[in-house]
Amino acid sequence: MEVAVLSVLAGTVSVLLAVAVLRLLDRRPTGSARPGRGDLLEPRLQPMVFLFRDRRLVDATQPARTLLGRIPAPTDEWDRLLQWIGPRFHDAPARLDQISRLGRIELLGNQGTGSATLRLLAEDLGGGILRLTITDPEAEQAGLVVDSMSQQAMEDELDLLRRALDQTPMLVWRQDAEDRVTWANAAYLRRAEALSDGPLGWPLPRLLDSPKPVPGAGTTTRRARLDSQGVISWYDCHSHGMGDQEMMFAVPADAAVRAERSLREFVQTLTKTFADLPIGLAIFDRQRNLQLFNPALIDLTGLPTGFLTARPTLFDLLDKLRELRMVPEPKDFRSWRQQMNNLESAAATGHHVETWSLPGGQTYRVTGRPHPDGAVAFLFEDITSEISLTRKFRADLLLGSHVLDGIEDALVVFAPNGKLLVRNRSYGQLWGDEGETLADALAAWEDRVEAGPGLAALRARLTEKHEGRGDNGVMAGPSGQLLGWSVTGLAGGRQMLRFRASELGQLTKDAEPADADRIDLAGAVGAK
């Protein structure tokens, strides 16, 4: 029993001693040979150092090589490094050219996004060897610890943003207060390389005359042109202030410029066409203010040019026309106003045409047409000569009708398709006014007279090929009289048929034998 108790006590003492020894080891100073647990967790900041011989890279730390690998440029390491250093240390390219004389150069980076308090140390080691060291003084003693997941997320986002800017078709760059380009995307670099005679240096050339941002106004926009060996390219440049620097975005605008030029040319063509039109044109917007008119409107209405250029309303223009006696004379002002209201509403809802007989004897046709967005257009056309010609034509037609009706012979004219075109009063009295075609006329003739050689010859002459057939003949009339007929060809394939009472007289049942023989002879002949 006593032996067991002693064994337990000995084991407990051993464990306590071991714990005490471990605690003493953890409290050793950091200068001891064995690293502490805190040293194992604290990351070591590796400097960014480049070693060049005659501007050719001979050695570099891992962070330095990683930086060179992320600079997209088809040049050597020295030019790629200057491309990265230039925006962050403005005087670095010029000062590095003097390193052999100065021996040592130390520069601080510009204050701002992406270049906050960086330090560049350049040392000439002799024999053409140059060592460049880039450090961040604020991060050296900060003791920052970044977990791998956050670092990976930031790198992925940075890679996404870099790829997006490099693949965008627009030109993106940043410039300082002295208009020096401090950063540019891949599209800008490609365009600059195409315009450059040799390899690009730093600072990059300015391609466009971009607008200056207005303080407090946000983004400023301006259109700029780029001339590349006679080929003009257009860009919409947007400028946005970022502290003491400016971000520029140039969006290609060639399609917009072509569309605007085509629209401008189209408007000019329309303007010239409207100027040459003999019809007066007036276009009003949805508020019924005059927006467009042509010179013919002034010539037709006598409206003053100053009055039209002042963009009057539709009703002001109509009132002015009323003062100039260029509208139909109204019975009273109320009926005039109602008529103009009806004109405006009818023109706004659909095609509307009115004929104005003016007090001066002129006749105008006023046409109203709706336009998009509630606009309306009015066309004023002088149709005085047209109305006069129409009236004269109608008078000539009436005169011709009276002349035909005064002829004792029955006349009728048929079109090539058989349509009845003209008939006089004697024809209507003889055969009636029914029917509008040759077929209807033939049916009426056969219904009112007995069939005979004369009627058959007339049918054949009008309906069949009449080569070798006679153009006149004799047939029985509807009242028993003998009718002589004759067919005359007119222009356009039309045919005129004339019926005339025959000299043989009336055909009756009580006719004398001698007369009957003459009648039978005429009927047998049919056509001469």
Side-chain angles (χ1 to χ4, degrees), residues 411-424:
L411 297 176
V412 63
V413 179
F414 297 101
N417 59 357
K419 183 179 180 180
L420 192 150
L421 299 178
V422 178
R423 57 190 166 197
N424 66 349

Side-chain angles (χ1 to χ4, degrees), residues 162-182:
R162 182 183 294 113
R163 289 177 180 270
L165 283 177
D166 288 343
Q167 293 176 3
T168 182
M170 76 175 87
L171 310 183
V172 183
W173 72 98
R174 184 180 63 192
Q175 61 188 35
D176 58 13
E178 299 178 2
D179 295 338
R180 293 179 297 188
V181 179
T182 60

